[in-house]
Amino acid sequence: MNIETWWPKVTADSREWLLDHAGEPVEPSVRADILSVTTVADGSTWDGSGSEEGEFELTDRTVDWIEAVANGETPIF
């Protein structure tokens, strides 16, 4: 599931955290919120993956999308 689908379904707090922390590993509560609105059990196809350090990170495409939104731009992907 891509960000265009799950973004409007997560809480405002999660969206705010993602806007403020684009490119950083996703904190557990935000990851849990994203997983709660997606149908992907392991999170591997919802625009993120685990890092070598055991943290959860969003893909570059997803970070670019979030940064566009944060800058008041219309994300085009």
Side-chain angles (χ1 to χ4, degrees), residues 21-57:
H21 301 276
E24 296 178 19
V26 178
E27 71 175 27
S29 64
V30 175
R31 181 175 187 258
D33 187 21
I34 295 168
L35 287 173
S36 76
V37 300
T38 64
T39 57
V40 180
D42 67 1
S44 62
T45 61
W46 57 265
D47 294 338
S49 63
S51 72
E52 291 180 17
E53 295 80 27
E55 299 171 323
F56 193 83
E57 298 177 348

Side-chain angles (χ1 to χ4, degrees), residues 5-76:
T5 304
W6 60 256
W7 181 262
K9 297 177 182 179
V10 296
T11 66
D13 287 341
S14 290
R15 287 191 303 270
E16 182 177 334
W17 188 93
L18 290 163
L19 290 168
D20 291 343
H21 301 276
E24 296 178 19
V26 178
E27 71 175 27
S29 64
V30 175
R31 181 175 187 258
D33 187 21
I34 295 168
L35 287 173
S36 76
V37 300
T38 64
T39 57
V40 180
D42 67 1
S44 62
T45 61
W46 57 265
D47 294 338
S49 63
S51 72
E52 291 180 17
E53 295 80 27
E55 299 171 323
F56 193 83
E57 298 177 348
L58 298 172
T59 64
D60 290 340
R61 176 196 177 280
T62 301
V63 171
D64 290 346
W65 191 96
I66 292 169
E67 288 174 343
V69 170
N71 292 329
E73 303 166 358
T74 300
I76 301 172

